[in-house]
Amino acid sequence: MRKYHPRNVSFKIAMFVLFVSAFLFVLYFLFFSESTLVWVYYLVASVVLFISVLLFTRYTVEDFIYKRIRVLYKTLHNLKTPKQKIKIEENWLENAEAELVKWAEDKKTELETLKKSENYRRDFLGNVSHELKTPIFNIQGYVLTLLDGGLEDKSINREYLLRAEKSIDRMIAIVNDLEAISRLESETLNLQKEKFDLFALAHDVLESYEIYAKQKNISINIHNKLSGPVHVLADREKIRQVLNNLLENAIKYNKLDGKAKITFYDMDELILVEVADTGIGIPQEDTPRIFERFYRTAVGRTIEHSGSGLGLAIVKHIIEAHGQTIHVRSSLGVGTTFGFTLQKA
């Protein structure tokens, strides 16, 4: 039996009470068995027994429980603030349970965050390898074909070199997007905020995608719900990048003969910009993750819809760098709408 096991402590207290009561009983029979002071002796013995048990129990409890819980409490504080000098307050025992519960909850939250980070890291590495190996294998295949004699075949040599160039361009786009997202996440992005007409900027973006939209027979237009110009205070080129990414996705993932539009809404001190399409939509289970780096739905991984997988992650970082938010709503087979806010100028 361990020295400070509860059963051993209880046994000690019981033996002490037995010893004191036996001692008082012996004294009674030796000196007061026929005395008239028996009631006085009884009162004195009761007081002595009470004080003796009280003091012994207090000492035992302090030695067994109080001191050991105090050590655990100090250990808990050391785990929470290892570099600070610990000062235990007088009412520490009353606060111990609440602090222990809070510490356990914090550790649980931290553990869940670490698990999410690990899953995110695993998915990110898998997505990076998937995005890079496709163009690498394509380039390898074209080069090997040319080396095996295709270089002298005028019917394929130029075509294979052009295909290899497309794969190289895709790798360059991935590297550039990775560099951009790295700058955004390291908070080294310097915004050049200025007052400009967002409506005019959207027209420029729309014009640059007219040929691409016609190739898929998709109509693109702008709906301005405001009565006049849409002046905002933001980084013009960064917002151009946002509109480029969102409009490109609206065309890329649209249906044949579909529609895409950019709409502006007045939100008091903010301007709400929505880029909507009538495309394939996003599955509900994928919606919370579409802003992650390299995350794409099953449809997004097809050859027809290939891309770097970083566009929406960059969009999110740019909007958040402006202190604003971006959201998405989508229905399969109906379409997708991305909305973000900007500060009025």
Side-chain angles (χ1 to χ4, degrees):
M1 188 184 301
R2 288 177 296 178
K3 181 179 179 182
Y4 292 106
H5 193 279
R7 288 192 297 254
N8 203 8
V9 174
S10 301
F11 179 76
K12 284 184 178 180
I13 295 175
M15 290 299 296
F16 178 77
V17 173
L18 178 63
F19 172 78
V20 173
S21 60
F23 177 74
L24 294 174
F25 185 75
V26 170
L27 286 180
Y28 171 75
F29 274 99
L30 288 177
F31 301 103
F32 301 102
S33 58
E34 297 180 356
S35 174
T36 57
L37 298 176
V38 61
W39 290 108
V40 176
Y41 170 78
Y42 177 77
L43 292 175
V44 172
S46 299
V47 172
V48 170
L49 181 62
F50 173 78
I51 294 175
S52 300
V53 173
L54 177 66
L55 294 176
F56 182 78
T57 303
R58 179 177 176 178
Y59 168 79
T60 305
V61 169
E62 282 191 356
D63 186 60
F64 171 64
I65 299 177
Y66 194 82
K67 290 182 180 180
R68 278 150 187 79
I69 293 180
R70 190 181 181 90
V71 171
L72 293 175
Y73 189 71
K74 284 184 177 181
T75 303
L76 174 61
H77 268 280
N78 288 328
L79 289 173
K80 292 169 63 177
T81 53
K83 296 183 180 180
Q84 297 181 9
K85 186 177 180 181
I86 304 304
K87 182 179 180 180
I88 304 299
E89 299 178 356
E90 291 297 328
N91 61 337
W92 66 268
L93 188 58
E94 290 79 3
N95 301 330
E97 181 180 1
E99 290 201 25
L100 182 59
V101 171
K102 184 179 183 304
W103 178 81
E105 290 177 350
D106 291 342
K107 289 300 176 183
K108 182 180 178 182
T109 303
E110 182 180 342
L111 182 60
E112 291 175 352
T113 302
L114 289 174
K115 287 181 178 179
K116 289 180 180 178
S117 298
E118 175 62 20
N119 292 334
Y120 179 78
R121 183 191 66 84
R122 190 184 303 112
D123 291 344
F124 173 72
L125 291 176
N127 289 330
V128 169
S129 63
H130 173 85
E131 298 298 333
L132 289 177
K133 73 181 180 181
T134 302
I136 289 174
F137 287 164
N138 288 342
I139 294 170
Q140 183 184 44
Y142 297 141
V143 171
L144 289 176
T145 301
L146 293 172
L147 291 175
D148 288 341
L151 191 61
E152 286 76 26
D153 189 343
K154 294 183 179 180
S155 63
I156 65 169
N157 55 10
R158 182 176 177 81
E159 179 185 354
Y160 276 29
L161 286 174
L162 290 173
R163 291 183 182 180
E165 182 187 23
K166 288 183 179 179
S167 295
I168 293 173
D169 289 340
R170 182 178 175 187
M171 291 182 63
I172 292 173
I174 292 173
V175 172
N176 289 337
D177 284 347
L178 278 173
E179 184 181 4
I181 202 94
S182 177
R183 289 199 308 270
L184 291 168
E185 291 187 343
S186 61
E187 298 182 355
T188 58
L189 178 66
N190 294 319
L191 297 177
Q192 304 297 324
K193 289 188 177 182
E194 59 178 309
K195 178 181 177 181
F196 64 91
D197 187 353
L198 186 59
F199 186 73
L201 177 64
H203 265 293
D204 290 343
V205 172
L206 211 67
E207 289 176 359
S208 65
Y209 281 95
E210 282 184 350
I211 296 177
Y212 181 39
K214 286 180 179 179
Q215 290 174 352
K216 298 190 66 175
N217 199 25
I218 294 173
S219 64
I220 53 176
N221 53 69
I222 298 177
H223 289 178
N224 188 1
K225 299 292 185 180
L226 285 73
S227 57
V230 185
H231 290 127
V232 295
L233 183 63
D235 188 314
R236 182 196 297 266
E237 294 308 311
K238 291 296 185 293
I239 299 304
R240 182 191 297 275
Q241 188 176 1
V242 169
L243 292 174
N244 278 334
N245 275 314
L246 295 180
L247 188 59
E248 181 180 356
N249 283 347
I251 299 171
K252 182 189 299 183
Y253 299 105
N254 217 319
K255 301 173 184 176
L256 189 63
D257 301 326
K259 297 179 181 179
K261 64 179 179 180
I262 302 175
T263 310
F264 303 101
Y265 299 92
D266 189 339
M267 304 289 290
D268 294 330
E269 297 180 355
L270 302 174
I271 296 294
L272 172 63
V273 185
E274 288 192 345
V275 181
D277 63 62
T278 57
I280 56 180
I282 303 171
Q284 187 175 1
E285 62 273 15
D286 292 326
T287 303
R289 301 190 59 189
I290 60 172
F291 292 107
E292 293 181 11
R293 291 173 294 177
F294 287 111
Y295 186 82
R296 288 190 293 165
T297 64
V299 176
R301 291 190 178 278
T302 62
I303 297 176
E304 296 83 1
H305 300 124
S306 61
S308 70
L310 290 168
L312 289 179
I314 292 174
V315 165
K316 183 174 183 289
H317 279 289
I318 290 175
I319 296 302
E320 290 182 346
H322 282 79
Q324 302 299 325
T325 58
I326 184 169
H327 64 274
V328 59
R329 59 182 188 272
S330 183
S331 299
L332 281 176
V334 177
T336 302
T337 300
F338 287 91
F340 63 92
T341 55
L342 289 175
Q343 183 182 349
K344 279 185 181 178

